[in-house]
Amino acid sequence: MQRPPTPTDAAAARRRGRPRKRLDAAIMAGQRVVRANLHEQAAERLRDLIVRGDLAPGASLVEVELSAMLGISRTPIREAIKLLAQQGLVELRANRSPCVRPLRAAEIRELFEALAGIERIAAELAAQRITAADLERLRALQAEIVREHEAGRRDSYAAANRTIHRTIVLAARNVPLAEVHAALLSRADQVRVFALGLEDRWEQSIREHQAILDALDARDPLQAGRLLQEHVGQTAAVVTTSLAGRIDPASSAA
Amino acid sequence: MQRPPTPTDAAAARRRGRPRKRLDAAIMAGQRVVRANLHEQAAERLRDLIVRGDLAPGASLVEVELSAMLGISRTPIREAIKLLAQQGLVELRANRSPCVRPLRAAEIRELFEALAGIERIAAELAAQRITAADLERLRALQAEIVREHEAGRRDSYAAANRTIHRTIVLAARNVPLAEVHAALLSRADQVRVFALGLEDRWEQSIREHQAILDALDARDPLQAGRLLQEHVGQTAAVVTTSLAGRIDPASSAA
DNA sequence: TTCGCGCAAATTGCATGCAATCGCCAGAAA
DNA sequence: TTTCTGGCGATTGCATGCAATTTGCGCGAA
């Protein structure tokens, strides 16, 4: 009978498995240093589950359940949950199980508004600092988006779309800005999964991307910023409309 | 002989102290619900120590030391440190003691740049949504700043200054934006403590505040945003100059 | 039938033990 | 004198135990 690994099993395995020189061995084996701490791995795994919608908004996150699911003990789980809470994907409730942040109309509106603003700032900076290599990468991503659009591949389209936004922000060469953007973006991704009808906007969205890339290419900060902010605003409008009927308009878990 | 409380002492005290009905009793005693979890208290306390400069940039944060200092066990300390790391006040190093984020020229420049951008966005939104009560509060804060300036009270001036910026951001009525702002602001505060010569700019700064308030009063988003962004930029310039000679120009802990 | 009370199970929050890991320092070799 | 190496102490990372708190439910009373 197979059974899921318990924390103890995992700990024992980890101990026995490699007498010593673990890191050296891993590096010499050509493995990418996967050696992140357990709580980081847990955070990444949980983020993924939440953003992909496998853990539904409002679902309560019970420590022992997650601990059994991931085969690690409660401690790193707790740390991971705290991390995700800080990023807005999880909501902590005093003396209660934390839960996946529910979708609330007002919060979603504010989220996209903030995201649009931050991307505008990033675009303005990026227009001043973007390199030829950045631009080339953006054009490649844009081409990829077009391909995935034509092939109708929803997931690939979304991934490429995400990457193009991320790349613009990174071109701003501002780490704190990129960090806050990443936090907001993952929450936006979570929301998007539950929105329908986004495909209707694909062609329009691609045109907007093209205009933004042109503005960046022309090193026009104001234009790039304005266009990107509006672009995000458009997406927000579609998402909000799509979700409007299906979530608590006021709040939830009241 | 007095000795600092150990985690065990504290735990025992907490257990013995209140047989039950703890919350009810506290509420009926009219106490504000101070009943935050230990890790939250610890985070707040540590944040304060860092922002006030009592824990110097680069200082290493050893779990047992902090645990003894705050009279709690390592677990909540660890959680608090993770939280502060997420906010950029603490830097985690693999398998080493975390440390207070050192001051690095490039990072500080980026930090204030991001802060300026976010405050611009906030000001634009605030100009559209600000209420009469908000404006009144801002005017009172501005008056307070003038008073503290004339009295030459450095700490009070800084506190009021911080509050006025915070209030403008809150007037934007956007929670995610306010949250990311708060994170960046606390790091900026930490940096400011080590910058000299900020007093030279007080009068100019007060004039800039007044212009920003006027723009908000006039409900002029572009003007308010532009002025606030430039204002933060000016502060950044002074801070950067002041710090330029006294920090690792490139990095540290290489 | 419905409301209230109290008990029990579920679950968090914190403390602590244990082992792996890292940095540091002494000592040896060049 | 400088550099490399081995072992030791310091410190983290994770697992787990224990108590407090909360919630849900059953039972009794109105």
Side-chain angles (χ1 to χ4, degrees), chain A residues 3-253:
Chain A
R3 63 186 170 86
T6 68
T8 312
D9 290 343
R14 226 173 305 126
R15 237 169 289 140
R16 259 183 329 232
R18 340 193 178 172
R20 61 194 66 191
K21 304 262 189 185
R22 201 163 83 165
L23 182 54
D24 303 322
I27 286 176
M28 289 173 69
Q31 299 171 13
R32 207 79 192 85
V33 184
V34 198
R35 223 167 62 74
N37 291 333
L38 283 191
H39 69 262
E40 288 171 16
Q41 293 177 238
E44 205 159 327
R45 183 105 178 71
L46 286 177
R47 179 181 7 256
D48 217 60
L49 288 172
I50 293 172
V51 168
R52 302 174 67 93
D54 296 336
L55 283 171
S60 82
L61 301 169
V62 178
E63 291 177 7
V64 286
E65 284 176 13
L66 300 177
S67 141
M69 180 188 304
L70 302 186
I72 62 183
S73 83
R74 287 173 47 214
T75 306
I77 295 279
R78 287 174 60 80
E79 295 177 349
I81 285 180
K82 294 266 180 338
L83 222 119
L84 296 175
Q86 183 76 11
Q87 297 181 4
L89 286 172
V90 162
E91 211 167 80
L92 300 177
R93 304 176 292 187
N95 286 317
R96 304 262 290 283
S97 300
C99 64
V100 179
R101 181 88 89 103
L103 270 33
R104 300 185 185 96
E107 285 182 6
I108 292 172
R109 198 181 45 67
E110 293 180 14
L111 171 72
F112 277 96
E113 187 177 82
L115 196 62
I118 284 170
E119 293 204 8
R120 162 147 73 111
I121 299 298
E124 290 188 5
L125 296 173
Q128 300 165 38
R129 297 170 186 170
I130 197 163
T131 65
D134 288 331
L135 276 169
E136 194 161 343
R137 179 156 165 63
L138 285 175
R139 288 199 201 93
L141 284 165
Q142 172 76 346
E144 184 181 337
I145 287 184
V146 171
R147 271 202 311 280
E148 303 302 340
H149 159 52
E150 283 168 358
R153 283 190 286 262
R154 188 189 164 105
D155 283 1
S156 308
Y157 176 94
N161 185 60
R162 182 194 162 90
T163 307
I164 205 169
H165 280 256
R166 197 81 192 109
T167 304
I168 293 173
V169 173
L170 290 175
R173 303 287 192 285
N174 185 306
V175 174
L177 203 63
E179 282 171 354
V180 301
H181 177 257
L184 296 184
L185 189 59
S186 64
R187 174 120 166 88
D189 284 339
Q190 178 212 15
V191 172
R192 249 188 284 250
V193 168
F194 294 93
L196 305 176
L198 283 175
E199 282 85 351
D200 300 344
R201 217 180 88 71
W202 282 6
E203 295 196 2
Q204 175 65 22
S205 177
I206 286 172
R207 279 194 295 277
E208 289 168 5
H209 280 177
Q210 190 56 56
I212 294 162
L213 262 56
D214 291 343
L216 288 173
D217 194 20
R219 307 298 201 274
D220 184 342
L222 291 182
Q223 177 78 345
R226 191 179 60 78
L227 289 175
L228 185 50
Q229 185 172 31
E230 284 173 6
H231 168 67
V232 175
Q234 288 299 315
T235 303
V238 174
V239 170
T240 308
T241 306
S242 161
L243 255 43
R246 295 184 296 138
I247 62 180
D248 305 287
S251 72
S252 81

Side-chain angles (χ1 to χ4, degrees), chain B residues 25-80:
Chain B
I27 287 176
M28 290 173 68
Q31 298 171 15
R32 206 81 192 85
V33 183
V34 198
R35 223 168 62 76
N37 290 333
L38 285 191
H39 70 261
E40 288 172 14
Q41 294 177 237
E44 206 159 327
R45 183 107 179 72
L46 286 177
R47 177 176 14 248
D48 217 59
L49 288 172
I50 292 172
V51 168
R52 303 173 67 91
D54 297 337
L55 282 170
S60 83
L61 302 169
V62 179
E63 290 178 6
V64 285
E65 284 176 14
L66 299 177
S67 141
M69 179 189 307
L70 302 186
I72 62 182
S73 83
R74 288 172 48 215
T75 306
I77 297 277
R78 288 174 60 81
E79 294 176 351

Side-chain angles (χ1 to χ4, degrees), chain B residues 119 137-150 153-169 181 185 189 192 202 205-206 209 213 231:
Chain B
E119 292 203 8
R137 179 156 165 63
L138 285 175
R139 289 198 199 94
L141 284 165
Q142 172 77 345
E144 185 180 336
I145 286 183
V146 172
R147 270 203 311 281
E148 303 302 340
H149 158 52
E150 284 167 358
R153 283 190 286 262
R154 190 188 163 104
D155 282 1
S156 308
Y157 176 94
N161 185 61
R162 182 193 160 89
T163 308
I164 207 171
H165 281 255
R166 197 82 192 105
T167 305
I168 292 173
V169 173
H181 178 257
L185 189 60
D189 284 340
R192 249 188 284 250
W202 283 8
S205 177
I206 287 172
H209 279 176
L213 261 56
H231 168 67

